[in-house]
Amino acid sequence: MSEEFHEDGPRLENQYESDALLRAYLHWRLPAAMRTEIEPELARLGARAVGDLLALDAAAEAQPPRHVPYDPWGRRVDRIEVSDAWRALDRVSAEEGIVAIAYERAHGAWSRVHQMAKLYLFHPSSATYSCPLAMTDGAARFLEVHGDEGTREAYERLISRDPVRFWTSGQWMTERTGGSDVSTTTTVARVDEASGAHRLFGTKWFTSATTSQMAITLARLEDAPAGGRGLSAFMVQLRDANGALRGIRVNRLKDKLGTRALPTAELTLDGTPALLVGGAGDGVRKIASLFTVTRVYNAVAAVAGMRRALALAQDYATRRRAFGKRLDEHPLHAETLADLDARFHASFHLTFQVVELLGREECGEASEQELAMLRLLTPVAKLYTAKQAVIVASEVMESFGGAGYVEDTGIPRLLRDAQVLPIWEGTTNVLSLDVWRAIARTDALEPWLQQVRTEMVRVQQPALEASVFAVRAATSDIEAYVARTTEPNAREAGARQLAFAIARTAAASRMVAHAASDAANADAHAMVARWVRRGLTAGLRPA
């Protein structure tokens, strides 16, 4: 009797050692002494990502959070129970210093690259624990800029490596009136006459990481004007010394498409004590530093998700046989994976350019040109990488055939979890309009165009001549489009196409610069050539 056929599933190797792009990028950009110092740490985390962390990830996903509204005797407790694995991931994130690295600044402005390289390795095996870390990092930056002695302990806890001392933070912006348009926030901050402290009243419709110890939120002081300028920023410590919620009622946990291990709740604030941070009013502007950090996290999570999906698909293609050959021996299948790989490479380079700019800004080393580029490229990187992550996850699912549609293979989760990335931290359309605001209000386009053109002049290799020409032509197309598109409705209608064109061109310029460096190999030349052939400004048409 012949032996039954069984497919081999995909296998993952050390996620640092097997990641040629990450290693080449670090070789290209980091000082040699720093790279030598941090590489063993990254290799160790790369091994954990396919070892104990992957096991914790699966366990947390299998045991999603549970809301317990009452105790056995009818008292309201609103307890959110999470798995032991979720709590373990919290400890790991503190011990690995995934937030702390950015604030220790042991390597100056390059510390953000170190941190985000670790996040990139950690995220796909974290059951989306990267979400509370994003909000924690954003809160830490906000408190670093706007905090005072009253917020010092909270700040120090947010950046601690001690799992016992470490706090995570939520971010409570979304209300029934909408998530992107925070100017319609209805939560009110009233002064308690007895204590002089502020208390919050309102409903927060969507709060992620609701088991965190604190949160940053927006509310309107009673005498404040309508609109975004009338909002103020507050810090909320969720629980008292006995662990009871402080004037907070959990209405329900959200039943989501993905990110199922992540506790996401709808809350009612009924006299919640809160600390005003940064003074009254203009809260939206003040929390801009928070949103910059969380949007960068979103982009890093997107490229990390793409990398994991492709690692699985590429390995599977060497194991699965169809029509007499392995999948990777079929030209069309190989071409499909190569196209996805180009999307990943472009997204990676775009994202880590923004990571570098963020590090320089935080350390006071950024030029005016670099500050303008950070303002322009942060929403661009977030919106573009999120859309690419969904495309890659969908195609990877298809590349597995029927097995990709079966939950216990783990492949469908790649798509479910990717689908939130275009929604979190500003939808694609909202951020596309923000790109126009950066261009119109702060003249952020010209410094970026100038930087790209200067960088392309430095590239002299004949093998890259066509790619350089494509990038320079794209900058001219974008510049002409912006100059000719002046009518407000036309600008809004074409905002997404403009943002995508900037994203593709920014990615291409970095890919060219990398391919021209000593750290590059023939694959880098082939990858940028493939990328520019797609058409960097496709779809960009003046009104």
Side-chain angles (χ1 to χ4, degrees):
M1 183 175 177
S2 62
E3 185 178 341
E4 284 189 30
F5 169 78
H6 292 282
E7 285 185 25
D8 281 338
R11 300 172 193 169
L12 293 171
E13 299 176 357
N14 182 303
Q15 289 297 281
Y16 177 71
E17 294 176 353
S18 64
D19 193 329
L21 176 58
L22 175 61
R23 290 186 290 105
Y25 164 76
L26 296 177
H27 180 72
W28 173 40
R29 301 301 296 166
L30 293 187
M34 176 185 170
R35 192 176 71 252
T36 300
E37 179 183 333
I38 70 171
E39 275 194 319
E41 178 185 350
L42 296 176
R44 178 180 52 78
L45 185 57
R48 294 193 73 181
V50 296
D52 66 311
L53 295 185
L54 197 60
L56 291 173
D57 171 89
E61 183 76 4
Q63 188 181 343
R66 188 171 73 96
H67 176 212
V68 180
Y70 298 98
D71 73 6
W73 309 105
R75 285 185 290 266
R76 186 92 192 206
V77 292
D78 279 325
R79 189 170 65 250
I80 299 175
E81 296 181 348
V82 296
S83 66
D84 290 342
W86 184 255
R87 287 189 290 270
L89 288 163
D90 176 79
R91 292 192 297 273
V92 169
S93 65
E95 292 164 349
E96 291 287 348
I98 293 176
V99 175
I101 289 168
Y103 296 90
E104 294 165 348
R105 299 192 174 107
H107 299 287
W110 292 112
S111 298
R112 275 290 182 188
V113 173
H114 178 196
Q115 175 209 29
M116 292 299 174
K118 293 194 76 171
L119 176 71
Y120 168 85
L121 295 170
F122 177 76
H123 165 74
S125 299
S126 76
T128 324
Y129 206 84
S130 52
C131 172
L133 297 182
M135 294 182 291
T136 299
D137 196 337
R141 181 59 180 158
F142 170 67
L143 295 182
E144 184 178 46
V145 174
H146 296 287
D148 55 24
E149 283 302 314
T151 62
R152 180 173 296 278
E153 181 186 359
Y155 170 74
E156 291 175 350
R157 284 181 174 274
L158 294 173
I159 65 170
S160 176
R161 286 179 181 258
D162 179 356
V164 176
R165 185 167 171 74
F166 179 59
W167 277 5
T168 57
S169 177
Q171 177 181 306
W172 300 350
M173 308 300 169
T174 303
E175 299 196 355
R176 292 191 183 111
T177 50
S180 299
D181 185 6
V182 296
S183 67
T184 60
T185 294
T186 60
T187 297
V188 175
R190 297 174 185 156
V191 177
D192 186 322
E193 293 183 5
S195 65
H198 290 94
R199 292 186 177 274
L200 306 185
F201 297 83
T203 299
K204 296 298 181 180
W205 191 80
F206 199 97
T207 66
S208 288
T210 318
T211 50
S212 292
Q213 291 86 354
M214 60 166 280
I216 302 297
T217 190
L218 293 172
R220 198 179 307 278
L221 295 165
E222 287 190 287
D223 58 350
R229 283 189 169 275
L231 294 173
S232 298
F234 291 87
M235 186 184 85
V236 174
Q237 189 171 331
L238 274 66
R239 294 167 182 83
D240 62 21
N242 297 317
L245 289 171
R246 306 166 76 211
I248 299 170
R249 185 167 66 251
V250 179
N251 300 328
R252 56 174 170 163
L253 290 181
K254 299 293 191 181
D255 186 9
K256 299 166 294 177
L257 172 68
T259 64
R260 292 176 178 173
L262 173 67
T264 305
E266 179 182 326
L267 306 177
T268 293
L269 310 182
D270 188 14
T272 308
L275 183 64
L276 180 66
V277 181
D282 214 12
V284 177
R285 181 188 62 80
K286 290 169 185 171
I287 61 172
S289 57
L290 183 156
F291 287 140
T292 296
V293 170
T294 56
R295 286 168 179 168
V296 172
Y297 265 75
N298 204 96
V300 173
V303 294
M306 284 186 254
R307 156 67 179 152
R308 176 60 58 85
L310 283 166
L312 292 166
Q314 288 163 348
D315 183 79
Y316 185 67
T318 68
R319 301 176 187 280
R320 171 65 168 156
R321 298 184 67 85
F323 305 104
K325 295 188 289 187
R326 295 195 319 256
L327 291 182
D328 64 344
E329 295 173 328
H330 289 275
L332 182 54
H333 191 87
E335 176 67 17
T336 300
L337 292 183
D339 175 74
L340 298 180
D341 207 22
R343 292 176 186 268
F344 160 62
H345 276 69
S347 297
F348 180 99
H349 279 292
L350 172 61
T351 295
F352 274 86
Q353 180 179 17
V354 177
V355 170
E356 291 180 28
L357 291 169
L358 177 62
R360 292 184 61 77
E361 185 267 337
E362 291 176 338
C363 290
E365 298 177 11
S367 65
E368 289 300 317
Q369 180 187 40
E370 289 171 327
L371 292 174
M373 289 169 57
L374 179 63
R375 172 67 183 91
L376 177 72
L377 295 181
T378 298
V380 165
K382 187 278 172 187
L383 70 88
Y384 192 72
T385 59
K387 298 301 281 187
Q388 298 309 300
V390 174
I391 291 169
V392 169
S394 180
E395 286 281 3
V396 164
M397 174 187 278
E398 185 177 344
S399 77
F400 278 84
Y405 200 65
V406 176
E407 282 287 354
D408 62 5
T409 65
I411 305 302
R413 183 181 154 200
L414 298 173
L415 181 57
R416 287 192 284 103
D417 288 353
Q419 194 63 63
V420 77
L421 296 171
I423 299 171
W424 274 346
E425 309 307 325
T427 63
T428 306
N429 284 355
V430 165
L431 291 182
S432 295
L433 295 174
D434 189 48
V435 172
W436 260 122
R437 280 193 295 273
I439 293 170
R441 296 179 185 177
T442 65
D443 194 26
L445 183 67
E446 183 56 35
W448 171 70
L449 291 172
Q450 185 181 70
Q451 186 271 340
V452 171
R453 288 164 176 164
T454 299
E455 197 166 52
M456 292 304 98
V457 168
R458 298 192 189 108
V459 178
Q460 299 298 321
Q461 288 95 323
L464 293 169
E465 185 175 337
S467 295
V468 169
F469 179 82
V471 171
R472 295 181 69 177
T475 62
S476 296
D477 288 347
I478 291 167
E479 187 174 44
Y481 177 86
V482 169
R484 289 198 295 258
T485 310
T486 57
E487 198 275 322
N489 286 341
R491 283 190 165 191
E492 179 171 335
R496 183 184 284 224
Q497 286 69 36
L498 174 62
F500 282 17
I502 293 172
R504 289 190 291 260
T505 305
S509 71
R510 292 284 285 189
M511 293 170 80
V512 168
H514 173 237
S517 74
D518 292 339
N521 55 29
D523 289 343
H525 288 73
M527 193 64 71
V528 68
R530 173 182 286 276
W531 183 248
V532 300
R533 284 199 302 270
R534 299 171 59 88
L536 300 179
T537 57
L540 193 63
R541 297 288 182 270

